Amino acid sequence: MASGEGADPAGAAELQDGDPAVFRDAAIADRETVLEFWPHPERLDRRFAAAADGSETFVVAVGSGEAGVVGAASVRWGGGCDDTARPMLYGVEVRPDLRGRGVGSALIRHVAQLVADRGFAEVSLEVEVGNAGAIRLYHRLGFVTVGPHRHVWRSGSATGSTDVLIMHGRAATVRATPLS
């Protein structure tokens, strides 16, 4: 069963303000909507390609009513550049007008459940050292900082590097606590 189909308990969640969200596999038809809040079109296209070849699962959060797609996240099954033993949470993005309402937490919990469902005990992620809000969120959800890493990236013909923290979370126990 694909994530978000049928009665899968990991396929739906209530956001912090009580609004429901449903999670499902991202579809290419979601691309234009996701681009409204995903800052890098070429990286988004790589998420769709990786999902198509099975190396990632790319999911979207769909809000109630007319909200439509309100967030997206991916899990790389082969891990990150520094940690191939654990699946890697990648590219969590939430519509700016809905940040702070539990969408990101719900996406992360959903991805952690997908990881646990595949039999993995932990999930890893990389977060830029300057992204204090995301680091706080990950800590609230039970992730622990493993150490620093210099991440080398490419975007089209451009390349660069950035300092990140590597964090690990126990897939079955990633939890949500109030954001207040």
Side-chain angles (χ1 to χ4, degrees):
M1 178 183 305
S3 62
E5 284 183 7
D8 176 6
E14 189 171 290
L15 303 179
Q16 192 175 41
D17 59 6
D19 286 344
V22 174
F23 302 95
R24 62 169 172 77
D25 292 337
I28 197 66
D30 297 320
R31 185 179 185 278
E32 293 308 311
T33 303
V34 173
L35 276 175
E36 293 174 13
F37 57 87
W38 191 289
H40 305 285
E42 68 285 345
R43 291 183 192 167
L44 178 62
D45 291 339
R46 284 198 298 266
R47 301 291 64 79
F48 281 115
D53 74 20
S55 60
E56 292 186 18
T57 297
F58 184 36
V59 296
V60 292
V62 181
S64 62
E66 307 229 353
V69 174
V70 297
S74 185
V75 58
R76 289 182 179 169
W77 295 110
C81 59
D82 67 311
D83 183 359
T84 58
R86 293 167 190 83
M88 180 181 179
L89 174 65
Y90 181 83
V92 178
E93 295 288 343
V94 175
R95 258 183 30 197
D97 61 315
L98 296 176
R99 291 182 184 151
R101 292 181 53 195
V103 176
S105 295
L107 272 165
I108 294 163
R109 286 192 317 273
H110 179 72
V111 168
Q113 185 61 54
L114 294 175
V115 169
D117 289 349
R118 285 219 187 170
F120 292 95
E122 292 185 321
V123 60
S124 70
L125 61 87
E126 297 176 357
V127 58
E128 290 185 19
V129 296
N131 193 342
I135 293 168
R136 282 191 307 274
L137 171 62
Y138 294 131
H139 281 148
R140 278 194 300 268
L141 293 172
F143 284 83
V144 295
T145 301
V146 175
H149 175 68
R150 185 112 179 122
H151 179 79
V152 178
W153 55 267
R154 68 176 166 71
S155 181
S157 62
T159 60
S161 64
T162 188
D163 291 322
V164 299
L165 296 176
I166 299 168
M167 301 180 85
H168 292 169
R170 301 245 347 124
T173 61
V174 169
R175 64 188 181 282
T177 55
L179 296 176
S180 54

